[in-house]
Amino acid sequence: MEKRRQVKLEDVAALAGVSKTTVSRVLNNRGYLSEATKQRVHEAMEQLHYRPNAIARQLFTQKTNLVGLVFPTVNDPFFGQLEAGLDECLYENSYRTLMGNSQNNPQKEEQYLQLLLNHQIDGLIVGAHNQAMPDYLQTNLPIVSIERAVAPQIPVVASDNYRGGQLATQRLLDAGCQHIIHTNYPKDVMTTNQDRRKAYEDLMSQAGYPAITYEVNYDTPMEEKKAIFARLFDEHPEVDGIFADNDTNAGLIIQVAKARGRRVPEDLKVVGFDGADGTRILFPELTTVQQSIDQMAAVAVNLLEQQIAGQTNVESVTLPVTLLEGTTG
Amino acid sequence: MEKRRQVKLEDVAALAGVSKTTVSRVLNNRGYLSEATKQRVHEAMEQLHYRPNAIARQLFTQKTNLVGLVFPTVNDPFFGQLEAGLDECLYENSYRTLMGNSQNNPQKEEQYLQLLLNHQIDGLIVGAHNQAMPDYLQTNLPIVSIERAVAPQIPVVASDNYRGGQLATQRLLDAGCQHIIHTNYPKDVMTTNQDRRKAYEDLMSQAGYPAITYEVNYDTPMEEKKAIFARLFDEHPEVDGIFADNDTNAGLIIQVAKARGRRVPEDLKVVGFDGADGTRILFPELTTVQQSIDQMAAVAVNLLEQQIAGQTNVESVTLPVTLLEGTTG
DNA sequence: TTGAAAGCGCTAACAC
DNA sequence: GTGTTAGCGCTTTCAA
């Protein structure tokens, strides 16, 4: 493959009849320069279509302005909105975004992290939903975690999941449900979703009802998820309310329920969790607990900025949730 | 800010008692090396937790293994699935993904492109939906476009949009609709969506009906979109069928219609376009034209690979679409 | 089978 | 105001 010869600083210097230093100064607008020189250099740059080589600069400055994002997938209303928000906020702080979709595969997540680190990223925002917590996260690389406890010293941005779980469960209880079932990740998955379960269990216990949780992992294929929900209805035909830990599962559950002749909300009430914008457009009827997704993104970037600026003891942040009234629950 | 001193190749060399060259050779598995040496070097690397600096390597090799993605937003069922697919395919080809959400803002798109180019990316995949076609796209950087004609020499991966438009319109005609309205981008937006409109217009003309298109831009805020659709119903109360150029608009239209007391599909039939997985979960009732999104991603990466490998005359690819039977149309 | 030295493109002391 | 020079961490001729 032919290597295209790039216009470099030296070429600009030659054309403008100055030294590399001067061009560099013009480029970075540093130091004293005569207007005439600036002018000539700018002209030379234009003429040659000069574009500075970020790699070379990065090698020197040890700063890449790159932030890595590691999430299960971007193909999801919640993560999609979140990553779009992160990208936007990072952009405003003049960072570029390196995307890594781990597909909830621990091995892939590790590989991604390795690669991102090799790329000398300036920071990392993680929200992958698995247990892999490699010890190279123990570097002093600025890291922010979203909805997931990674390590003690890493700040977490999360919704008030316990409160969300309360809102959802209470809503179903208020609607008169007596047999409420919950869906969530397996207990060993270290995500803050577990707080939603905790709230559900506490409220059910207080109300004197049994708490039953069906476990569905993030990377469970869709058909398999449907099979699990079908089993739910087989094993618990008395179910009259379901608190799903995310809207996608809520949608799937409603599909399965309807296919079995259950009417929603007459025979079965369903409350979801997330309330992403995309979901609101396609499925506005869904009653759900809405997270402040855009705010999460903004806060996360802010916490990362703080760390990059050298601040230590960056505090975790919990954000409020609201119940969104639909017709399914 | 204190600069963390990184372990470098030289440190490994010192510890292993060999030269930098040797370590580099071990790293890249190149040249002849005695097993004993390899062993010692590997041990030293482990001991020091050595991680090669990709930036330094990139400066030399002029290859970053980075591919830029420029799309309007990742917060959308279609683009979300597409970018997730691209990221996955690129990952398999050992490329990392640099994300750029242009928000359909030409200025932001240009800035993104500049930044991506400065980062010395190895290739670019674009699907932004605006007219900005900067002439620095005329570099010999490998580029693939998705669903958008950028420049003659840049290969495009697109669905058979004309066929899709036919399928959708014909479906509505077959269902007995006589007043079918279409939504699409303004005519000057250079996207292949215009082929959907063309098909609609051709079929309407053949059937002897007038063709009416309401124009909605990608970046139109949601409330404004709703206002446009409300206007649609005001101006054309006789409408009995709508072919929306994407599922999100279809969803919005159905919301507006229902709010005005129209029953779908009894009073109004709606057919969308895209058929992304996420949409299928949340709104399975929607009749829509499904694009082969995952395949688009795979093909796009393949075309990019071809260009990176030095191949010229890379051909554009058109992919098939299918009508997905729902209950709304 | 291994090492010395030059250089990728840029920046920043330190001179003048 | 501007230039000289060294060096960021790595790879690769070329020589031994």
mmCIF file with all atom_site columns, all heavy atoms in Angstrom, chain A residues 6 51 54 91 97 111-112 118 120 255 281, chain B residues 6 51 54 87 91 99 111 118 120 255 281:
data_model
loop_
_atom_site.group_PDB
_atom_site.id
_atom_site.type_symbol
_atom_site.label_atom_id
_atom_site.label_alt_id
_atom_site.label_comp_id
_atom_site.label_asym_id
_atom_site.label_entity_id
_atom_site.label_seq_id
_atom_site.pdbx_PDB_ins_code
_atom_site.Cartn_x
_atom_site.Cartn_y
_atom_site.Cartn_z
_atom_site.occupancy
_atom_site.B_iso_or_equiv
_atom_site.pdbx_formal_charge
_atom_site.auth_seq_id
_atom_site.auth_comp_id
_atom_site.auth_asym_id
_atom_site.auth_atom_id
_atom_site.pdbx_PDB_model_num
ATOM 1   N N   . GLN A 1 6   ? 2.323   12.967  3.947  1.00 0.00 ? 6   GLN A N   1
ATOM 2   C CA  . GLN A 1 6   ? 1.511   14.009  4.553  1.00 0.00 ? 6   GLN A CA  1
ATOM 3   C C   . GLN A 1 6   ? 2.269   15.320  4.593  1.00 0.00 ? 6   GLN A C   1
ATOM 4   O O   . GLN A 1 6   ? 3.483   15.342  4.766  1.00 0.00 ? 6   GLN A O   1
ATOM 5   C CB  . GLN A 1 6   ? 1.180   13.587  5.976  1.00 0.00 ? 6   GLN A CB  1
ATOM 6   C CG  . GLN A 1 6   ? -0.220  13.954  6.376  1.00 0.00 ? 6   GLN A CG  1
ATOM 7   C CD  . GLN A 1 6   ? -0.363  13.922  7.867  1.00 0.00 ? 6   GLN A CD  1
ATOM 8   O OE1 . GLN A 1 6   ? -0.750  12.902  8.431  1.00 0.00 ? 6   GLN A OE1 1
ATOM 9   N NE2 . GLN A 1 6   ? -0.043  15.030  8.507  1.00 0.00 ? 6   GLN A NE2 1
ATOM 10  N N   . ARG A 1 51  ? -2.633  20.002  7.816  1.00 0.00 ? 51  ARG A N   1
ATOM 11  C CA  . ARG A 1 51  ? -3.461  19.559  8.942  1.00 0.00 ? 51  ARG A CA  1
ATOM 12  C C   . ARG A 1 51  ? -2.525  18.947  9.982  1.00 0.00 ? 51  ARG A C   1
ATOM 13  O O   . ARG A 1 51  ? -1.801  18.005  9.686  1.00 0.00 ? 51  ARG A O   1
ATOM 14  C CB  . ARG A 1 51  ? -4.469  18.518  8.463  1.00 0.00 ? 51  ARG A CB  1
ATOM 15  C CG  . ARG A 1 51  ? -5.370  18.014  9.560  1.00 0.00 ? 51  ARG A CG  1
ATOM 16  C CD  . ARG A 1 51  ? -6.422  17.080  9.012  1.00 0.00 ? 51  ARG A CD  1
ATOM 17  N NE  . ARG A 1 51  ? -7.158  17.690  7.933  1.00 0.00 ? 51  ARG A NE  1
ATOM 18  C CZ  . ARG A 1 51  ? -7.295  17.171  6.734  1.00 0.00 ? 51  ARG A CZ  1
ATOM 19  N NH1 . ARG A 1 51  ? -6.735  16.029  6.441  1.00 0.00 ? 51  ARG A NH1 1
ATOM 20  N NH2 . ARG A 1 51  ? -7.985  17.803  5.814  1.00 0.00 ? 51  ARG A NH2 1
ATOM 21  N N   . ALA A 1 54  ? -2.267  14.870  14.927 1.00 0.00 ? 54  ALA A N   1
ATOM 22  C CA  . ALA A 1 54  ? -2.613  14.756  16.345 1.00 0.00 ? 54  ALA A CA  1
ATOM 23  C C   . ALA A 1 54  ? -1.766  13.696  17.046 1.00 0.00 ? 54  ALA A C   1
ATOM 24  O O   . ALA A 1 54  ? -1.447  13.819  18.224 1.00 0.00 ? 54  ALA A O   1
ATOM 25  C CB  . ALA A 1 54  ? -4.089  14.426  16.499 1.00 0.00 ? 54  ALA A CB  1
ATOM 26  N N   . TYR A 1 91  ? -17.915 16.145  23.712 1.00 0.00 ? 91  TYR A N   1
ATOM 27  C CA  . TYR A 1 91  ? -17.592 17.005  22.582 1.00 0.00 ? 91  TYR A CA  1
ATOM 28  C C   . TYR A 1 91  ? -17.458 18.453  23.018 1.00 0.00 ? 91  TYR A C   1
ATOM 29  O O   . TYR A 1 91  ? -16.530 19.155  22.621 1.00 0.00 ? 91  TYR A O   1
ATOM 30  C CB  . TYR A 1 91  ? -18.688 16.866  21.531 1.00 0.00 ? 91  TYR A CB  1
ATOM 31  C CG  . TYR A 1 91  ? -18.474 17.739  20.323 1.00 0.00 ? 91  TYR A CG  1
ATOM 32  C CD1 . TYR A 1 91  ? -17.627 17.331  19.296 1.00 0.00 ? 91  TYR A CD1 1
ATOM 33  C CD2 . TYR A 1 91  ? -19.110 18.967  20.204 1.00 0.00 ? 91  TYR A CD2 1
ATOM 34  C CE1 . TYR A 1 91  ? -17.431 18.131  18.189 1.00 0.00 ? 91  TYR A CE1 1
ATOM 35  C CE2 . TYR A 1 91  ? -18.925 19.766  19.095 1.00 0.00 ? 91  TYR A CE2 1
ATOM 36  C CZ  . TYR A 1 91  ? -18.078 19.346  18.093 1.00 0.00 ? 91  TYR A CZ  1
ATOM 37  O OH  . TYR A 1 91  ? -17.883 20.139  17.002 1.00 0.00 ? 91  TYR A OH  1
ATOM 38  N N   . THR A 1 97  ? -14.801 10.645  21.422 1.00 0.00 ? 97  THR A N   1
ATOM 39  C CA  . THR A 1 97  ? -15.320 9.442   22.075 1.00 0.00 ? 97  THR A CA  1
ATOM 40  C C   . THR A 1 97  ? -14.890 8.165   21.374 1.00 0.00 ? 97  THR A C   1
ATOM 41  O O   . THR A 1 97  ? -15.110 8.006   20.177 1.00 0.00 ? 97  THR A O   1
ATOM 42  C CB  . THR A 1 97  ? -16.858 9.496   22.066 1.00 0.00 ? 97  THR A CB  1
ATOM 43  O OG1 . THR A 1 97  ? -17.269 10.704  22.680 1.00 0.00 ? 97  THR A OG1 1
ATOM 44  C CG2 . THR A 1 97  ? -17.435 8.325   22.816 1.00 0.00 ? 97  THR A CG2 1
ATOM 45  N N   . GLN A 1 111 ? -10.722 -7.107  26.616 1.00 0.00 ? 111 GLN A N   1
ATOM 46  C CA  . GLN A 1 111 ? -9.964  -6.757  25.410 1.00 0.00 ? 111 GLN A CA  1
ATOM 47  C C   . GLN A 1 111 ? -10.151 -5.288  25.054 1.00 0.00 ? 111 GLN A C   1
ATOM 48  O O   . GLN A 1 111 ? -9.201  -4.603  24.697 1.00 0.00 ? 111 GLN A O   1
ATOM 49  C CB  . GLN A 1 111 ? -10.431 -7.623  24.242 1.00 0.00 ? 111 GLN A CB  1
ATOM 50  C CG  . GLN A 1 111 ? -9.943  -9.058  24.310 1.00 0.00 ? 111 GLN A CG  1
ATOM 51  C CD  . GLN A 1 111 ? -10.422 -9.858  23.118 1.00 0.00 ? 111 GLN A CD  1
ATOM 52  O OE1 . GLN A 1 111 ? -10.605 -9.322  22.040 1.00 0.00 ? 111 GLN A OE1 1
ATOM 53  N NE2 . GLN A 1 111 ? -10.640 -11.143 23.313 1.00 0.00 ? 111 GLN A NE2 1
ATOM 54  N N   . TYR A 1 112 ? -11.396 -4.857  25.155 1.00 0.00 ? 112 TYR A N   1
ATOM 55  C CA  . TYR A 1 112 ? -11.681 -3.460  24.861 1.00 0.00 ? 112 TYR A CA  1
ATOM 56  C C   . TYR A 1 112 ? -10.897 -2.531  25.766 1.00 0.00 ? 112 TYR A C   1
ATOM 57  O O   . TYR A 1 112 ? -10.286 -1.561  25.330 1.00 0.00 ? 112 TYR A O   1
ATOM 58  C CB  . TYR A 1 112 ? -13.172 -3.154  25.034 1.00 0.00 ? 112 TYR A CB  1
ATOM 59  C CG  . TYR A 1 112 ? -13.901 -3.075  23.732 1.00 0.00 ? 112 TYR A CG  1
ATOM 60  C CD1 . TYR A 1 112 ? -14.994 -3.871  23.492 1.00 0.00 ? 112 TYR A CD1 1
ATOM 61  C CD2 . TYR A 1 112 ? -13.489 -2.198  22.740 1.00 0.00 ? 112 TYR A CD2 1
ATOM 62  C CE1 . TYR A 1 112 ? -15.668 -3.808  22.292 1.00 0.00 ? 112 TYR A CE1 1
ATOM 63  C CE2 . TYR A 1 112 ? -14.158 -2.131  21.549 1.00 0.00 ? 112 TYR A CE2 1
ATOM 64  C CZ  . TYR A 1 112 ? -15.248 -2.941  21.321 1.00 0.00 ? 112 TYR A CZ  1
ATOM 65  O OH  . TYR A 1 112 ? -15.903 -2.878  20.141 1.00 0.00 ? 112 TYR A OH  1
ATOM 66  N N   . ASN A 1 118 ? -4.277  1.105   25.685 1.00 0.00 ? 118 ASN A N   1
ATOM 67  C CA  . ASN A 1 118 ? -3.139  1.231   24.767 1.00 0.00 ? 118 ASN A CA  1
ATOM 68  C C   . ASN A 1 118 ? -3.262  2.496   23.928 1.00 0.00 ? 118 ASN A C   1
ATOM 69  O O   . ASN A 1 118 ? -2.259  3.070   23.520 1.00 0.00 ? 118 ASN A O   1
ATOM 70  C CB  . ASN A 1 118 ? -3.082  0.027   23.839 1.00 0.00 ? 118 ASN A CB  1
ATOM 71  C CG  . ASN A 1 118 ? -2.582  -1.202  24.560 1.00 0.00 ? 118 ASN A CG  1
ATOM 72  O OD1 . ASN A 1 118 ? -2.202  -1.125  25.732 1.00 0.00 ? 118 ASN A OD1 1
ATOM 73  N ND2 . ASN A 1 118 ? -2.580  -2.326  23.892 1.00 0.00 ? 118 ASN A ND2 1
ATOM 74  N N   . GLN A 1 120 ? -4.023  5.140   24.929 1.00 0.00 ? 120 GLN A N   1
ATOM 75  C CA  . GLN A 1 120 ? -3.658  6.273   25.769 1.00 0.00 ? 120 GLN A CA  1
ATOM 76  C C   . GLN A 1 120 ? -4.816  7.232   25.988 1.00 0.00 ? 120 GLN A C   1
ATOM 77  O O   . GLN A 1 120 ? -4.649  8.439   25.934 1.00 0.00 ? 120 GLN A O   1
ATOM 78  C CB  . GLN A 1 120 ? -2.490  7.037   25.140 1.00 0.00 ? 120 GLN A CB  1
ATOM 79  C CG  . GLN A 1 120 ? -1.328  6.200   24.744 1.00 0.00 ? 120 GLN A CG  1
ATOM 80  C CD  . GLN A 1 120 ? -0.714  5.440   25.899 1.00 0.00 ? 120 GLN A CD  1
ATOM 81  O OE1 . GLN A 1 120 ? -0.776  4.240   25.936 1.00 0.00 ? 120 GLN A OE1 1
ATOM 82  N NE2 . GLN A 1 120 ? -0.159  6.152   26.850 1.00 0.00 ? 120 GLN A NE2 1
ATOM 83  N N   . GLN A 1 255 ? -45.836 -8.413  25.099 1.00 0.00 ? 255 GLN A N   1
ATOM 84  C CA  . GLN A 1 255 ? -46.026 -9.207  23.881 1.00 0.00 ? 255 GLN A CA  1
ATOM 85  C C   . GLN A 1 255 ? -46.429 -10.628 24.210 1.00 0.00 ? 255 GLN A C   1
ATOM 86  O O   . GLN A 1 255 ? -47.379 -11.180 23.659 1.00 0.00 ? 255 GLN A O   1
ATOM 87  C CB  . GLN A 1 255 ? -44.720 -9.236  23.076 1.00 0.00 ? 255 GLN A CB  1
ATOM 88  C CG  . GLN A 1 255 ? -44.576 -8.142  22.060 1.00 0.00 ? 255 GLN A CG  1
ATOM 89  C CD  . GLN A 1 255 ? -43.353 -8.364  21.187 1.00 0.00 ? 255 GLN A CD  1
ATOM 90  O OE1 . GLN A 1 255 ? -43.162 -9.416  20.604 1.00 0.00 ? 255 GLN A OE1 1
ATOM 91  N NE2 . GLN A 1 255 ? -42.510 -7.354  21.131 1.00 0.00 ? 255 GLN A NE2 1
ATOM 92  N N   . ILE A 1 281 ? -41.528 7.406   22.514 1.00 0.00 ? 281 ILE A N   1
ATOM 93  C CA  . ILE A 1 281 ? -42.119 7.636   21.196 1.00 0.00 ? 281 ILE A CA  1
ATOM 94  C C   . ILE A 1 281 ? -42.823 6.386   20.686 1.00 0.00 ? 281 ILE A C   1
ATOM 95  O O   . ILE A 1 281 ? -43.942 6.434   20.206 1.00 0.00 ? 281 ILE A O   1
ATOM 96  C CB  . ILE A 1 281 ? -41.031 8.066   20.179 1.00 0.00 ? 281 ILE A CB  1
ATOM 97  C CG1 . ILE A 1 281 ? -40.510 9.447   20.537 1.00 0.00 ? 281 ILE A CG1 1
ATOM 98  C CG2 . ILE A 1 281 ? -41.583 8.053   18.763 1.00 0.00 ? 281 ILE A CG2 1
ATOM 99  C CD1 . ILE A 1 281 ? -39.393 9.929   19.645 1.00 0.00 ? 281 ILE A CD1 1
ATOM 100 N N   . GLN B 1 6   ? 5.175   6.427   32.592 1.00 0.00 ? 6   GLN B N   1
ATOM 101 C CA  . GLN B 1 6   ? 4.734   5.153   32.067 1.00 0.00 ? 6   GLN B CA  1
ATOM 102 C C   . GLN B 1 6   ? 5.909   4.203   31.917 1.00 0.00 ? 6   GLN B C   1
ATOM 103 O O   . GLN B 1 6   ? 7.021   4.613   31.629 1.00 0.00 ? 6   GLN B O   1
ATOM 104 C CB  . GLN B 1 6   ? 4.116   5.391   30.706 1.00 0.00 ? 6   GLN B CB  1
ATOM 105 C CG  . GLN B 1 6   ? 2.899   4.531   30.438 1.00 0.00 ? 6   GLN B CG  1
ATOM 106 C CD  . GLN B 1 6   ? 2.592   4.480   28.977 1.00 0.00 ? 6   GLN B CD  1
ATOM 107 O OE1 . GLN B 1 6   ? 1.812   5.269   28.467 1.00 0.00 ? 6   GLN B OE1 1
ATOM 108 N NE2 . GLN B 1 6   ? 3.210   3.546   28.296 1.00 0.00 ? 6   GLN B NE2 1
ATOM 109 N N   . ARG B 1 51  ? 2.747   -2.004  29.102 1.00 0.00 ? 51  ARG B N   1
ATOM 110 C CA  . ARG B 1 51  ? 1.697   -1.901  28.098 1.00 0.00 ? 51  ARG B CA  1
ATOM 111 C C   . ARG B 1 51  ? 2.221   -1.005  26.986 1.00 0.00 ? 51  ARG B C   1
ATOM 112 O O   . ARG B 1 51  ? 2.553   0.160   27.236 1.00 0.00 ? 51  ARG B O   1
ATOM 113 C CB  . ARG B 1 51  ? 0.438   -1.305  28.713 1.00 0.00 ? 51  ARG B CB  1
ATOM 114 C CG  . ARG B 1 51  ? -0.718  -1.208  27.747 1.00 0.00 ? 51  ARG B CG  1
ATOM 115 C CD  . ARG B 1 51  ? -1.978  -0.725  28.426 1.00 0.00 ? 51  ARG B CD  1
ATOM 116 N NE  . ARG B 1 51  ? -2.328  -1.563  29.551 1.00 0.00 ? 51  ARG B NE  1
ATOM 117 C CZ  . ARG B 1 51  ? -2.493  -1.123  30.788 1.00 0.00 ? 51  ARG B CZ  1
ATOM 118 N NH1 . ARG B 1 51  ? -2.334  0.139   31.053 1.00 0.00 ? 51  ARG B NH1 1
ATOM 119 N NH2 . ARG B 1 51  ? -2.814  -1.955  31.753 1.00 0.00 ? 51  ARG B NH2 1
ATOM 120 N N   . ALA B 1 54  ? 0.423   2.831   22.151 1.00 0.00 ? 54  ALA B N   1
ATOM 121 C CA  . ALA B 1 54  ? -0.095  2.787   20.781 1.00 0.00 ? 54  ALA B CA  1
ATOM 122 C C   . ALA B 1 54  ? 0.231   4.067   20.018 1.00 0.00 ? 54  ALA B C   1
ATOM 123 O O   . ALA B 1 54  ? 0.446   4.039   18.809 1.00 0.00 ? 54  ALA B O   1
ATOM 124 C CB  . ALA B 1 54  ? -1.592  2.549   20.795 1.00 0.00 ? 54  ALA B CB  1
ATOM 125 N N   . ASP B 1 87  ? -19.588 -1.274  14.890 1.00 0.00 ? 87  ASP B N   1
ATOM 126 C CA  . ASP B 1 87  ? -18.577 -1.420  15.925 1.00 0.00 ? 87  ASP B CA  1
ATOM 127 C C   . ASP B 1 87  ? -18.165 -2.876  16.055 1.00 0.00 ? 87  ASP B C   1
ATOM 128 O O   . ASP B 1 87  ? -16.983 -3.190  16.180 1.00 0.00 ? 87  ASP B O   1
ATOM 129 C CB  . ASP B 1 87  ? -19.132 -0.902  17.255 1.00 0.00 ? 87  ASP B CB  1
ATOM 130 C CG  . ASP B 1 87  ? -18.093 -0.923  18.356 1.00 0.00 ? 87  ASP B CG  1
ATOM 131 O OD1 . ASP B 1 87  ? -17.005 -0.364  18.130 1.00 0.00 ? 87  ASP B OD1 1
ATOM 132 O OD2 . ASP B 1 87  ? -18.358 -1.512  19.420 1.00 0.00 ? 87  ASP B OD2 1
ATOM 133 N N   . TYR B 1 91  ? -14.542 -4.265  15.154 1.00 0.00 ? 91  TYR B N   1
ATOM 134 C CA  . TYR B 1 91  ? -13.799 -4.929  16.224 1.00 0.00 ? 91  TYR B CA  1
ATOM 135 C C   . TYR B 1 91  ? -13.207 -6.243  15.740 1.00 0.00 ? 91  TYR B C   1
ATOM 136 O O   . TYR B 1 91  ? -12.057 -6.560  16.022 1.00 0.00 ? 91  TYR B O   1
ATOM 137 C CB  . TYR B 1 91  ? -14.742 -5.183  17.407 1.00 0.00 ? 91  TYR B CB  1
ATOM 138 C CG  . TYR B 1 91  ? -14.092 -5.890  18.552 1.00 0.00 ? 91  TYR B CG  1
ATOM 139 C CD1 . TYR B 1 91  ? -13.354 -5.192  19.493 1.00 0.00 ? 91  TYR B CD1 1
ATOM 140 C CD2 . TYR B 1 91  ? -14.225 -7.260  18.707 1.00 0.00 ? 91  TYR B CD2 1
ATOM 141 C CE1 . TYR B 1 91  ? -12.751 -5.828  20.552 1.00 0.00 ? 91  TYR B CE1 1
ATOM 142 C CE2 . TYR B 1 91  ? -13.641 -7.920  19.769 1.00 0.00 ? 91  TYR B CE2 1
ATOM 143 C CZ  . TYR B 1 91  ? -12.908 -7.206  20.696 1.00 0.00 ? 91  TYR B CZ  1
ATOM 144 O OH  . TYR B 1 91  ? -12.322 -7.857  21.734 1.00 0.00 ? 91  TYR B OH  1
ATOM 145 N N   . MET B 1 99  ? -16.511 7.590   17.669 1.00 0.00 ? 99  MET B N   1
ATOM 146 C CA  . MET B 1 99  ? -17.896 7.944   17.434 1.00 0.00 ? 99  MET B CA  1
ATOM 147 C C   . MET B 1 99  ? -18.057 9.447   17.241 1.00 0.00 ? 99  MET B C   1
ATOM 148 O O   . MET B 1 99  ? -17.474 10.229  17.972 1.00 0.00 ? 99  MET B O   1
ATOM 149 C CB  . MET B 1 99  ? -18.695 7.512   18.648 1.00 0.00 ? 99  MET B CB  1
ATOM 150 C CG  . MET B 1 99  ? -20.171 7.674   18.550 1.00 0.00 ? 99  MET B CG  1
ATOM 151 S SD  . MET B 1 99  ? -21.018 6.617   19.758 1.00 0.00 ? 99  MET B SD  1
ATOM 152 C CE  . MET B 1 99  ? -20.915 7.596   21.232 1.00 0.00 ? 99  MET B CE  1
ATOM 153 N N   . GLN B 1 111 ? -16.685 19.937  11.945 1.00 0.00 ? 111 GLN B N   1
ATOM 154 C CA  . GLN B 1 111 ? -15.721 19.916  13.046 1.00 0.00 ? 111 GLN B CA  1
ATOM 155 C C   . GLN B 1 111 ? -15.317 18.490  13.399 1.00 0.00 ? 111 GLN B C   1
ATOM 156 O O   . GLN B 1 111 ? -14.148 18.188  13.627 1.00 0.00 ? 111 GLN B O   1
ATOM 157 C CB  . GLN B 1 111 ? -16.330 20.578  14.286 1.00 0.00 ? 111 GLN B CB  1
ATOM 158 C CG  . GLN B 1 111 ? -16.382 22.082  14.208 1.00 0.00 ? 111 GLN B CG  1
ATOM 159 C CD  . GLN B 1 111 ? -16.991 22.668  15.467 1.00 0.00 ? 111 GLN B CD  1
ATOM 160 O OE1 . GLN B 1 111 ? -16.848 22.113  16.544 1.00 0.00 ? 111 GLN B OE1 1
ATOM 161 N NE2 . GLN B 1 111 ? -17.667 23.791  15.327 1.00 0.00 ? 111 GLN B NE2 1
ATOM 162 N N   . ASN B 1 118 ? -7.618  14.666  11.970 1.00 0.00 ? 118 ASN B N   1
ATOM 163 C CA  . ASN B 1 118 ? -6.428  14.982  12.745 1.00 0.00 ? 118 ASN B CA  1
ATOM 164 C C   . ASN B 1 118 ? -5.968  13.797  13.571 1.00 0.00 ? 118 ASN B C   1
ATOM 165 O O   . ASN B 1 118 ? -4.791  13.643  13.858 1.00 0.00 ? 118 ASN B O   1
ATOM 166 C CB  . ASN B 1 118 ? -6.686  16.156  13.690 1.00 0.00 ? 118 ASN B CB  1
ATOM 167 C CG  . ASN B 1 118 ? -6.772  17.462  12.926 1.00 0.00 ? 118 ASN B CG  1
ATOM 168 O OD1 . ASN B 1 118 ? -6.542  17.482  11.719 1.00 0.00 ? 118 ASN B OD1 1
ATOM 169 N ND2 . ASN B 1 118 ? -7.103  18.518  13.631 1.00 0.00 ? 118 ASN B ND2 1
ATOM 170 N N   . GLN B 1 120 ? -5.829  11.039  12.610 1.00 0.00 ? 120 GLN B N   1
ATOM 171 C CA  . GLN B 1 120 ? -5.197  10.099  11.689 1.00 0.00 ? 120 GLN B CA  1
ATOM 172 C C   . GLN B 1 120 ? -5.947  8.786   11.572 1.00 0.00 ? 120 GLN B C   1
ATOM 173 O O   . GLN B 1 120 ? -5.348  7.722   11.552 1.00 0.00 ? 120 GLN B O   1
ATOM 174 C CB  . GLN B 1 120 ? -3.764  9.807   12.154 1.00 0.00 ? 120 GLN B CB  1
ATOM 175 C CG  . GLN B 1 120 ? -2.936  11.009  12.444 1.00 0.00 ? 120 GLN B CG  1
ATOM 176 C CD  . GLN B 1 120 ? -2.760  11.917  11.237 1.00 0.00 ? 120 GLN B CD  1
ATOM 177 O OE1 . GLN B 1 120 ? -3.222  13.024  11.242 1.00 0.00 ? 120 GLN B OE1 1
ATOM 178 N NE2 . GLN B 1 120 ? -2.129  11.428  10.202 1.00 0.00 ? 120 GLN B NE2 1
ATOM 179 N N   . GLN B 1 255 ? -49.469 8.360   17.487 1.00 0.00 ? 255 GLN B N   1
ATOM 180 C CA  . GLN B 1 255 ? -49.794 9.052   18.740 1.00 0.00 ? 255 GLN B CA  1
ATOM 181 C C   . GLN B 1 255 ? -50.728 10.229  18.481 1.00 0.00 ? 255 GLN B C   1
ATOM 182 O O   . GLN B 1 255 ? -51.752 10.395  19.143 1.00 0.00 ? 255 GLN B O   1
ATOM 183 C CB  . GLN B 1 255 ? -48.518 9.585   19.398 1.00 0.00 ? 255 GLN B CB  1
ATOM 184 C CG  . GLN B 1 255 ? -47.860 8.640   20.368 1.00 0.00 ? 255 GLN B CG  1
ATOM 185 C CD  . GLN B 1 255 ? -46.693 9.311   21.089 1.00 0.00 ? 255 GLN B CD  1
ATOM 186 O OE1 . GLN B 1 255 ? -46.839 10.382  21.665 1.00 0.00 ? 255 GLN B OE1 1
ATOM 187 N NE2 . GLN B 1 255 ? -45.546 8.683   21.034 1.00 0.00 ? 255 GLN B NE2 1
ATOM 188 N N   . ILE B 1 281 ? -39.404 -4.738  19.229 1.00 0.00 ? 281 ILE B N   1
ATOM 189 C CA  . ILE B 1 281 ? -39.713 -5.151  20.598 1.00 0.00 ? 281 ILE B CA  1
ATOM 190 C C   . ILE B 1 281 ? -40.764 -4.225  21.205 1.00 0.00 ? 281 ILE B C   1
ATOM 191 O O   . ILE B 1 281 ? -41.725 -4.674  21.817 1.00 0.00 ? 281 ILE B O   1
ATOM 192 C CB  . ILE B 1 281 ? -38.441 -5.125  21.467 1.00 0.00 ? 281 ILE B CB  1
ATOM 193 C CG1 . ILE B 1 281 ? -37.487 -6.232  21.023 1.00 0.00 ? 281 ILE B CG1 1
ATOM 194 C CG2 . ILE B 1 281 ? -38.791 -5.301  22.951 1.00 0.00 ? 281 ILE B CG2 1
ATOM 195 C CD1 . ILE B 1 281 ? -36.172 -6.248  21.762 1.00 0.00 ? 281 ILE B CD1 1
#
